[in-house]
Every structure is written in structure tokens, then in C-alpha cells.
């Protein structure tokens, strides 16, 4: 097995560990996730995986996205089971959903690369509510889960770097790394 594949597997395991930490908090009742963003993020994660894999043509590069897709959908299901609620959708989540729908259309009738760019815009907008909440209340999210996600997304960038790549192959992994690291910084400040 190639070293880059081993690194992608390690990144995926760390990423899934972050979700395990997050979901354990939900199962203990110390967290009550809003189902709206998790439904949208589950959709965005699946779209990200399909469009990024199509864009790059590389299963190893897409491995972290695949793990995130499974975990995002599982988190949505855990949140539903534990009594999470569909709270207000809000403008940023509405924007993310609309961009997600546009991404599906672009993917089906155009280019997976541009569809992935649409997904990226939706994901960025999905982080805005977290940033707003964390600016007021850094304790609203658990640092351990976000630490694991920051490490895993950083390793995802390394995976792209060590494999054959085009410059656009870096866009999604780098942005995800920055978003997760920013969230972590807002939590631990």
C-alpha cells in the first residue's frame, strides 16, 4: 500500500474519531445539535465526496471526504434520535441549501469541478453560524472534536500534496483545514 493511502486512512480514522467524540457528547445529552445544519452538512458532505472524487479522479484524495460523508449522515441520525430539533434555518443555512441545490444542477449538467466550488461556498456559509456563536460563547463546542477535525483536514492537505495533483485539488482540503482550525481557535481562545 502506498504511503499516501496509509496517510489518507490515518486522516480518515482521526476524522471519524472527531465525529465519535461529537456524537458521544450528543448521546450523553451534553449537546443538542440543531438538525438544520446537520441535514445540510450531510447533503454537502455527500456532494463534496462525489464532486471532489469526480474532479480529482483519485479515490485516495477523496477518502477523507468519504469518511466525512458517512459521519455527517450518521451525526444527523444520532442528533435526530437524541432529540435534536429543527430550529430556525437562518439565512446562512438557507444560502447553503440553495447553493447545494445549484451544485447538484451544475454537477449533473456541467462540471464536477465547478459543482465542487459551489459545495465549497455552501460549506463556508455553513461555518458562519458556528463562528458567530463561538465569538459569544467559546464553550458552545467541544475542543477535542474540533482538534481532531483540524488534524485530519491538515493531513488531508498533505495527502493531496504527496500525490499527483492539479492546483484545484488543493482548494477544498485547504479551505476545510482553515475552517476547522479557525473554529478550534475560537473555542480555545
Amino acid at each position: 500500500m502506498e504511503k499516501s493511502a496509509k496517510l489518507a486512512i490515518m486522516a480518515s480514522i482521526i476524522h471519524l474519531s472527531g465525529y465519535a467524540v461529537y456524537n458521544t457528547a450528543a448521546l450523553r445529552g451534553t449537546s443538542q445539535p440543531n438538525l438544520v445544519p446537520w441535514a445540510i452538512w450531510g447533503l454537502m458532505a455527500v456532494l463534496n465526496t462525489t464532486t471532489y472524487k469526480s474532479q480529482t479522479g483519485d479515490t485516495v484524495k477523496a477518502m477523507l471526504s468519504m469518511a466525512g460523508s458517512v459521519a455527517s449522515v450518521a451525526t444527523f441520525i444520532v442528533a435526530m434520535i437524541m432529540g435534536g430539533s429543527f430550529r430556525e434555518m437562518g439565512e446562512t443555512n438557507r444560502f447553503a441549501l440553495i447553493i447545494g441545490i445549484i451544485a447538484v444542477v451544475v454537477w449533473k449538467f456541467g462540471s464536477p469541478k465547478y459543482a465542487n466550488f459551489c459545495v465549497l461556498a455552501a460549506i463556508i456559509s455553513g461555518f458562519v453560524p458556528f463562528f458567530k456563536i463561538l465569538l459569544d460563547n467559546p464553550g458552545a463546542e467541544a475542543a477535542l472534536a474540533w482538534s481532531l477535525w483540524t488534524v485530519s483536514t491538515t493531513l488531508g492537505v498533505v495527502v493531496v500534496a504527496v500525490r499527483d495533483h492539479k492546483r484545484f485539488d488543493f482548494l477544498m482540503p485547504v479551505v476545510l483545514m482553515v475552517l476547522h482550525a479557525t473554529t478550534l481557535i475560537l473555542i480555545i481562545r
Side-chain angles (χ1 to χ4, degrees):
M1 180 183 295
E2 290 179 46
K3 287 182 182 180
S4 61
K6 290 178 184 177
L7 188 60
I9 291 168
M10 184 171 59
S12 298
I13 291 169
I14 293 168
H15 201 65
L16 292 171
S17 298
Y19 278 97
V21 168
Y22 188 89
N23 287 333
T24 299
L27 290 170
R28 287 185 180 148
T30 58
S31 168
Q32 285 191 312
N34 181 351
L35 294 178
V36 172
W38 279 111
I40 294 169
W41 282 25
L43 170 66
M44 292 305 110
V46 171
L47 279 172
N48 179 45
T49 297
T50 55
T51 58
Y52 188 72
K53 175 146 183 339
S54 288
Q55 171 194 331
T56 64
D58 190 329
T59 302
V60 174
K61 288 181 203 169
M63 203 176 291
L64 184 58
S65 295
M66 291 176 204
S69 293
V70 171
S72 290
V73 172
T75 299
F76 174 73
I77 293 167
V78 167
M80 279 189 355
I81 291 169
M82 296 312 298
S85 62
F86 282 100
R87 294 184 281 245
E88 182 180 328
M89 181 177 265
E91 287 182 38
T92 55
N93 287 321
R94 192 172 6 266
F95 176 77
L97 182 59
I98 291 167
I99 296 299
I101 292 166
I102 290 169
V104 170
V105 172
V106 169
W107 176 44
K108 287 299 179 189
F109 299 105
S111 158
K113 177 171 78 173
Y114 294 117
N116 195 252
F117 293 168
C118 291
V119 171
L120 180 61
I123 291 171
I124 292 168
S125 72
F127 270 81
V128 171
F130 279 124
F131 293 164
K132 288 180 180 176
I133 290 167
L134 293 172
L135 284 169
D136 290 335
N137 180 11
E141 289 286 328
L144 180 56
W146 288 97
S147 297
L148 292 167
W149 291 329
T150 300
V151 169
S152 68
T153 54
T154 302
L155 290 174
V157 172
V158 174
V159 168
V160 173
V162 299
R163 294 187 65 79
D164 290 334
H165 58 270
K166 299 172 240 88
R167 69 175 184 256
F168 286 120
D169 293 356
F170 280 102
L171 189 58
M172 180 61 74
V174 167
V175 169
L176 288 175
M177 178 189 68
V178 169
L179 290 170
H180 286 86
T182 302
T183 303
L184 179 59
I185 290 165
L186 290 173
I187 293 168
I188 63 174
R189 63 184 163 94

